[in-house]
Amino acid sequence: MHRFTLACVFLALAACTASPAEPTGSSSVTVGSPTLTEYVHLFNHSRFAIGSPTYQKSEASIDKVIGDWGVFGTDQKTRSVLALPNADAPSRARPALTTDPAVHNAAVRKYFVDAGLPADEVDSVSVHTMASASGAGSDPPTSWEFEAYTSTISRQYDGVRVVESHAWAQFNDLGEVVTESVYWPEVSKSVAMAATAFRKQLEDPAAKAAFFAKVPEGGRLVIHHTPAAWKGTFSAMVSYDVGGFGKTKHYDASGWSFTLPHEG
């Protein structure tokens, strides 16, 4: 007999690219300012099942809180967070919180918003399913067994998606967080205002026609920022993204194409 496991691809990617973290607090924003607020997920606001006792350690630019069951890490530069359980962590052996994806999505949204993530910046919550199956020899599995959900919160400003920001978590039946990651940096007032202006440009018939005379249609307006694993200078920009042939092209409000800093 052999066992197949279907896991969320984004979990593996996040484990490779997002650095764990433990910072001092989340920043505030002046009322009326269009700045997108930074949210830093603090260890003392987390329900990550880390085990006890715990101790702190800094290595490779990561501030770590380490317990018997896992590690909660905060990147010293980006303040992104990744909490990973050990392979034998009891939290991993527990059943999932629910078999209803909507219930899990709602629980994850409430968890992060209660911890301080700005509710008005939440765009949507999507669920990813983990399942496993057994089979004999080289035959494909005939059925899959549900294991858990991971729910991911995406970010927006004024209806414009902020692509690289994320907050995701997996809950077990005790309401413990099995694993989680957050990267929700501040995005400046100038970028926020540029996003609104670009959106209005695409809503104006004449301006829209002029723009699409230079740029292929069928894309989407987004805000990009450098990702959690980026070790250079943080930057954010507004882009009209058009996909094709395995590569996304980025266009500014004038219709000129450009490359994101972390793609160069």
Side-chain angles (χ1 to χ4, degrees):
M1 297 287 287
H2 57 266
R3 184 174 179 82
F4 302 82
T5 299
L6 180 65
C8 308
V9 174
F10 81 93
L11 285 176
L13 291 175
C16 296
T17 60
S19 307
E22 223 265 35
T24 54
S26 55
S27 62
S28 60
V29 62
T30 303
V31 175
S33 168
T35 304
L36 281 79
T37 309
E38 178 185 36
Y39 168 67
V40 179
H41 191 53
L42 302 179
F43 175 70
N44 60 7
H45 291 168
S46 173
R47 301 212 312 254
F48 176 58
I50 197 169
S52 61
T54 62
Y55 66 95
Q56 298 186 22
K57 180 179 181 180
S58 295
E59 58 182 359
S61 301
I62 307 296
D63 293 330
K64 298 179 179 180
V65 182
I66 303 172
D68 284 347
W69 299 347
V71 179
F72 183 100
T74 303
D75 188 287
Q76 293 171 352
K77 180 178 177 63
T78 66
R79 309 215 305 169
S80 60
V81 167
L82 180 62
L84 293 175
N86 297 338
D88 60 350
S91 61
R92 298 183 62 175
R94 300 290 312 180
L97 173 70
T98 176
T99 57
D100 186 335
V103 170
H104 195 273
N105 284 350
V108 169
R109 186 188 190 282
K110 183 177 188 305
Y111 165 62
F112 282 120
V113 169
D114 286 352
L117 186 144
D120 61 351
E121 293 182 15
V122 173
D123 180 28
S124 62
V125 188
S126 58
V127 75
H128 303 262
T129 304
M130 298 179 66
S132 63
S134 298
S138 59
D139 294 337
T142 56
S143 63
W144 291 91
E145 180 180 350
F146 168 76
E147 290 191 352
Y149 291 125
T150 301
S151 296
T152 301
I153 298 175
S154 59
R155 189 183 191 186
Q156 64 82 35
Y157 173 76
D158 196 20
V160 181
R161 178 81 174 271
V162 185
V163 178
E164 288 81 8
S165 294
H166 70 268
W168 56 256
Q170 175 190 335
F171 283 129
N172 65 21
D173 64 331
L174 298 178
E176 297 172 329
V177 170
V178 179
T179 181
E180 63 185 352
S181 179
V182 180
Y183 183 45
W184 205 274
E186 179 178 302
V187 177
S188 71
K189 178 178 180 178
S190 60
V191 173
M193 292 177 68
T196 296
F198 204 157
R199 178 182 59 76
K200 291 180 178 179
Q201 174 184 339
L202 296 179
E203 291 172 351
D204 178 82
K208 179 179 179 180
F211 180 76
F212 286 120
K214 297 178 284 186
V215 174
E217 296 193 50
R220 63 171 183 169
L221 180 64
V222 299
I223 296 171
H224 282 289
H225 58 68
T226 45
W230 181 249
K231 299 307 179 186
T233 302
F234 177 84
S235 62
M237 64 290 299
V238 185
S239 168
Y240 186 82
D241 282 3
V242 180
F245 302 103
K247 180 179 176 60
T248 299
K249 296 198 69 173
H250 313 286
Y251 296 91
D252 65 16
S254 299
W256 292 100
S257 64
F258 65 95
T259 300
L260 301 178
H262 49 283
E263 293 179 338

